[in-house]
Amino acid sequence: MRLPIYNPRPVADRQRERLIKLLSNLLNERLTRLNQNVPPDNIVLSNAEVKELNALIGEISTDRSFFTALSFVDGLAGRIKIGEEQLRELYLSERRRRGYSRAVSSNQWHQFITRLGMHSGDLSTLIRAAAPMPFEHFLRMERRVLSHFKISEDVQEYLLELMARKRQAIEALREQASNFRDLVTDTGVTDLTKAILKQLGEKRDNLSSKQVAGLTIVIVDSTTLFTTRDWSVSGTLSTMAGGLTMIVED
């Protein structure tokens, strides 16, 4: 039996929504011009697109809340050294900033970490712990949030396919809270995102469609982190997937 999926309540202003729309439009263009004489894995930015992206990139590149969300995911994945107590406090404080209560905070944290698929060091305090979110349920939630931002069906399918391809690595992260498994890299999603944003800001047109797709996934799902428990779990898993997708594989 499929579990119900509640509508997301993303935290995104008009600039963030516009950036998501523009990135998804670029991906849609890539998908619709496969028969043209353009390298299929490259996205060529027009002058108008570069100008608009520059302004939006400048805004998100200095957004403390955005990079706090990415640092949280890197901490869970073991890419940066943050202890569980710090991660717990970050999770609860960021939820409070978004209007959610800190009541029964220990239960909130353990519900989240268990639903994510990881294990807390203090198992004795697990209260009514939820089961880890099935990967198929996660993908259905992703489709819901992509639809919320009015991303085209073709781009939705492309992004979901990329995330599904990373299932093994994501499942390893969930269980081990360790590195980006099976990929030789010491880079977390925070640094990967900064690098891609810098390339776009410098008007470079040599980013692959997968890199822009990974950036799109990260930006979309950072808006659902620190909201409800399940949307926080979905946002965490998809941010991991987005980081993995941004990695250039030889």
Side-chain angles (χ1 to χ4, degrees):
M1 182 179 68
R2 288 189 175 185
L3 297 173
I5 296 175
Y6 299 99
N7 288 330
R9 291 186 287 176
V11 179
D13 58 18
R14 290 183 179 179
Q15 288 80 7
R16 193 59 43 83
E17 291 177 352
R18 178 57 184 159
L19 178 56
I20 291 169
K21 182 64 175 176
L22 184 53
L23 290 173
S24 66
N25 284 348
L26 291 174
L27 289 171
N28 189 64
E29 179 187 2
R30 177 255 184 257
L31 295 174
T32 57
R33 62 191 176 115
L34 292 177
N35 295 326
Q36 298 182 18
N37 188 24
V38 178
D41 199 36
N42 284 348
I43 292 176
V44 179
L45 303 177
S46 70
N47 290 335
E49 290 168 340
V50 168
K51 183 177 180 180
E52 186 171 12
L53 273 176
N54 276 342
L56 296 170
I57 288 168
E59 185 273 333
I60 198 171
S61 296
T62 58
D63 188 330
R64 175 186 171 277
S65 180
F66 174 63
F67 284 104
T68 294
L70 302 193
S71 295
F72 175 74
V73 175
D74 275 339
L76 287 170
R79 303 311 310 142
I80 56 178
K81 293 183 179 180
I82 302 179
E84 182 180 343
E85 186 57 34
Q86 290 175 284
L87 288 168
R88 173 184 176 277
E89 181 57 32
L90 180 58
Y91 175 75
L92 295 171
S93 61
E94 287 297 312
R95 291 190 81 241
R96 185 175 182 179
R97 282 204 322 118
R98 288 158 175 77
Y100 294 88
S101 172
R102 285 186 61 124
V104 291
S105 58
S106 292
N107 187 40
Q108 287 185 35
W109 171 247
H110 288 305
Q111 286 270 338
F112 165 76
I113 207 73
T114 305
R115 189 76 167 136
L116 185 63
M118 298 177 184
H119 298 286
S120 169
D122 188 7
L123 295 177
S124 63
T125 61
L126 285 170
I127 304 171
R128 294 177 297 166
M133 180 183 290
F135 196 83
E136 293 76 12
H137 185 76
F138 155 64
L139 290 178
R140 289 195 294 272
M141 291 187 72
E142 282 305 294
R143 186 180 295 280
R144 182 71 63 88
V145 74
L146 294 173
S147 297
H148 173 87
F149 283 105
K150 297 180 172 58
I151 293 174
S152 72
E153 288 291 333
D154 286 345
V155 173
Q156 284 189 42
E157 292 299 329
Y158 178 62
L159 296 177
L160 290 168
E161 179 186 355
L162 291 175
M163 284 187 268
R165 290 179 188 174
K166 301 300 180 183
R167 178 171 184 167
Q168 182 178 0
I170 294 169
E171 296 286 17
L173 280 172
R174 297 179 71 175
E175 293 178 1
Q176 300 177 16
S178 59
N179 302 337
F180 283 146
R181 189 176 179 180
D182 299 328
L183 292 171
V184 182
T185 178
D186 292 324
T187 307
V189 66
T190 303
D191 288 340
L192 287 165
T193 300
K194 288 179 178 179
I196 300 299
L197 288 171
K198 182 179 180 181
Q199 284 181 282
L200 283 174
E202 291 176 348
K203 306 180 183 180
R204 296 177 63 176
D205 61 3
N206 61 343
L207 289 173
S208 73
S209 55
K210 287 183 180 179
Q211 288 174 304
V212 177
L215 178 64
T216 304
I217 292 168
V218 166
I219 293 174
V220 166
D221 287 282
S222 68
T223 68
T224 65
L225 266 169
F226 310 124
T227 57
T228 65
R229 180 198 67 186
D230 274 14
W231 279 111
S232 293
V233 170
S234 176
T236 299
L237 295 176
S238 56
T239 300
M240 291 175 177
L244 289 163
T245 301
M246 283 189 276
I247 296 171
V248 178
E249 301 177 52
D250 295 329

